[in-house]
Amino acid sequence: MNAEPAPARGKHPDHPFRVAEIASKLEDWINKLGEVWVEGQIVDLTRRGTMRVAFATLRDPEVNSSLALTIPVTLLDSLATPLEVGSRVIVHAKTTFWTTRGSLQLSVRAIKAVGLGALLAQIEALRAKLAAQGLFDPERKKPLPFIPRVVGLVTGRDSDAKKDVVTNAQRRWPGVVFEIREVAVQGTRSAAEVTAALKELDALDEVDVIVIARGGGGVEDLLPFSSEDLLLAVAEAKTPVVSAIGHEADCPLLDLVADVRASTPTDAGKRVVPDLETEMNVLVNARVRLTGAVKRRLAREQDRLDHLRTRPALARPHRIITEREADISADRLAARRAFAAAIDRAKAGVAGLAATVRALSPQATLDRGFAVVTSKNGRIIKSPGDAKAGAPLGIRLAKGTLTATVTAPGKG
């Protein structure tokens, strides 16, 4: 009688596989799959200290099936858009089965964003390009005017954003004037219409500031406000531009290029004009401070005047005149006395000189009885020999003169 053949391994409880054997077979089968492209959603992402790989879970949201991923940290850091939980991606990975713990994972070689992730990657690439061109630099931002003559507003047709901007601006400054351009703020035509409206308002000299406003929305809804053409037009505008797109968390690239970013359209209405009540309070307070400063200055000057008036020179101002008058009178008397004494001394001197002159004068000699004999030509006769017989002579006496004739020459 022939014996029955032994059952195949793993097909009968008497001939089971060992765990290591089945794990090895699974490893062989999975390795044959090789590298594959897999699409899914990241639902878990963990980076651990200095480890060279990060761990993530890729889930199929339609059937709630998941696979474990290992991703090199260098690959994560090289992505244009950071990988986050919830991102839709396509990964290029090699399937790996760990025989020691019986688990399957995908070792990621490359990651591509899809859907929203692709849009975010495009926006991030444009962000880097514009940043390199300096369009985000604070130095190129233009300041807003204190009180604009006209506020330009680019917004959706009959939108809540328009109402928020206008209402809040008029509440703060009732006299504000708007030049409004209503355009499509969503869809394929949006970027072109917003850009055209911006350029039109920028060409108006009376428009001092331009607000671009839109309500909130998803990334796809706000994509037109990250259009490169629009961003370049904002950068080239001579008029300051305020970006008021979406809510606080929304941040299209327009927020970075615009001169001022408002968190909401309501905030934009508050930023473009001052608050009349606040400014009036500032003026009142300034007037009070100025009045107080003037009063304090006047009080200080009055105190100085009062202090000066207590000084003797100002308390009795005629005193200095009286003192000077007495000094002048004394000086005048001294001068007169000195002058009289000088005249007396001069008179005495003149008298002495006159006496001396008179004593030495020929007239004094004549007064003593002497006479002066002169020849006809007036030459003084000093000796008898100087006159010839018959020569006329003139004799000058103390009083008057005589004439004579030499009768005989004298001896001498």
Side-chain angles (χ1 to χ4, degrees):
M1 184 175 181
N2 295 332
E4 293 183 0
R9 292 285 301 277
K11 301 297 184 179
H12 192 276
D14 295 332
H15 300 279
F17 282 121
R18 296 178 59 192
V19 172
E21 291 178 308
I22 195 65
S24 177
K25 291 182 179 294
L26 289 174
E27 181 182 23
D28 291 338
W29 292 337
I30 291 173
N31 286 340
K32 291 178 182 179
L33 184 61
E35 296 184 355
V36 293
W37 287 95
V38 183
E39 180 178 355
Q41 182 181 33
I42 300 294
V43 295
D44 181 43
L45 179 62
T46 305
R47 299 177 67 158
R48 297 176 182 172
T50 59
M51 292 187 65
R52 296 183 179 181
V53 296
F55 301 93
T57 301
L58 187 67
R59 184 182 66 184
D60 187 335
E62 295 182 1
V63 297
N64 200 24
S65 178
S66 301
L67 289 173
L69 304 179
T70 58
I71 309 171
V73 170
T74 54
L75 175 59
L76 283 178
D77 294 339
S78 68
L79 297 176
T81 302
L83 187 65
E84 297 178 352
V85 173
S87 300
R88 291 290 298 273
V89 295
I90 298 176
V91 298
H92 186 223
K94 182 182 184 304
T95 55
T96 302
F97 182 78
W98 293 91
T99 58
T100 55
R101 59 175 180 268
S103 62
L104 174 69
Q105 70 178 28
L106 300 178
S107 299
V108 178
R109 304 288 192 268
I111 301 175
K112 292 180 60 177
V114 295
L116 178 58
L119 292 178
L120 292 176
Q122 294 175 10
I123 293 174
E124 189 60 32
L126 181 58
R127 182 198 304 269
K129 175 182 176 181
L130 298 182
Q133 295 176 0
L135 266 62
F136 304 157
D137 294 347
E139 294 78 13
R140 58 163 295 278
K141 306 290 186 181
K142 297 180 285 294
L144 300 184
F146 178 58
I147 302 178
R149 292 172 295 174
V150 177
V151 176
L153 176 59
V154 180
T155 187
R157 296 178 177 87
D158 195 26
S159 64
D160 291 338
K162 169 187 172 183
K163 298 173 184 176
D164 289 342
V165 174
V166 173
T167 301
N168 283 278
Q170 290 178 342
R171 183 179 295 124
R172 290 169 60 84
W173 196 266
V176 62
V177 177
F178 278 92
E179 186 72 26
I180 301 175
R181 297 293 182 271
E182 295 186 344
V183 297
V185 291
Q186 185 173 336
T188 57
R189 297 183 298 107
S190 175
E193 290 190 15
V194 173
T195 302
L198 169 69
K199 292 181 177 180
E200 182 180 346
L201 291 174
D202 188 46
L204 300 178
D205 292 336
E206 64 273 18
V207 174
D208 291 331
V209 61
I210 300 172
V211 178
I212 301 177
R214 184 209 190 290
V219 175
E220 298 91 340
D221 299 329
L222 303 182
L223 190 62
F225 299 96
S226 293
S227 164
E228 184 171 5
D229 290 341
L230 173 59
L231 301 179
L232 293 177
V234 170
E236 294 170 358
K238 67 179 187 298
T239 309
V241 176
V242 177
S243 172
I245 306 301
H247 305 298
E248 179 69 36
D250 299 322
C251 186
L253 296 185
L254 177 61
D255 286 351
L256 304 178
V257 179
D259 299 290
V260 173
R261 185 225 178 193
S263 57
T264 61
T266 298
D267 183 43
K270 296 177 180 179
R271 283 175 172 263
V272 293
V273 292
D275 181 40
L276 180 60
E277 183 177 354
T278 300
E279 297 305 321
M280 290 297 296
N281 290 336
V282 169
L283 289 176
V284 170
N285 293 335
R287 181 180 299 172
V288 170
R289 291 195 301 270
L290 182 60
T291 301
V294 171
K295 288 182 178 179
R296 288 190 296 272
R297 180 62 179 271
L298 290 175
R300 288 196 302 269
E301 297 303 324
Q302 184 63 52
D303 290 341
R304 289 183 59 194
L305 289 175
D306 294 341
H307 178 68
L308 291 174
R309 290 177 62 185
T310 60
R311 296 183 178 181
L314 293 179
R316 291 185 296 163
H318 60 278
R319 176 183 176 185
I320 190 172
I321 298 175
T322 304
E323 292 175 350
R324 295 296 178 267
E325 183 181 15
D327 293 341
I328 292 173
S329 297
D331 291 342
R332 287 177 62 188
L333 181 59
R336 285 175 179 174
R337 289 173 179 173
F339 186 66
I343 291 176
D344 290 342
R345 288 194 299 271
K347 285 180 178 180
V350 170
L353 292 174
T356 301
V357 170
R358 283 194 297 270
L360 298 175
S361 171
Q363 184 63 43
T365 303
L366 294 176
D367 290 341
R368 291 198 300 271
F370 292 94
V372 178
V373 181
T374 61
S375 64
K376 181 180 179 179
N377 56 9
R379 184 170 58 84
I380 297 175
I381 302 300
K382 297 181 179 180
S383 66
D386 292 338
K388 298 179 179 181
L393 297 175
I395 301 171
R396 182 177 180 182
L397 304 175
K399 296 180 180 181
T401 60
L402 295 175
T403 60
T405 300
V406 180
T407 57
K411 296 179 182 179

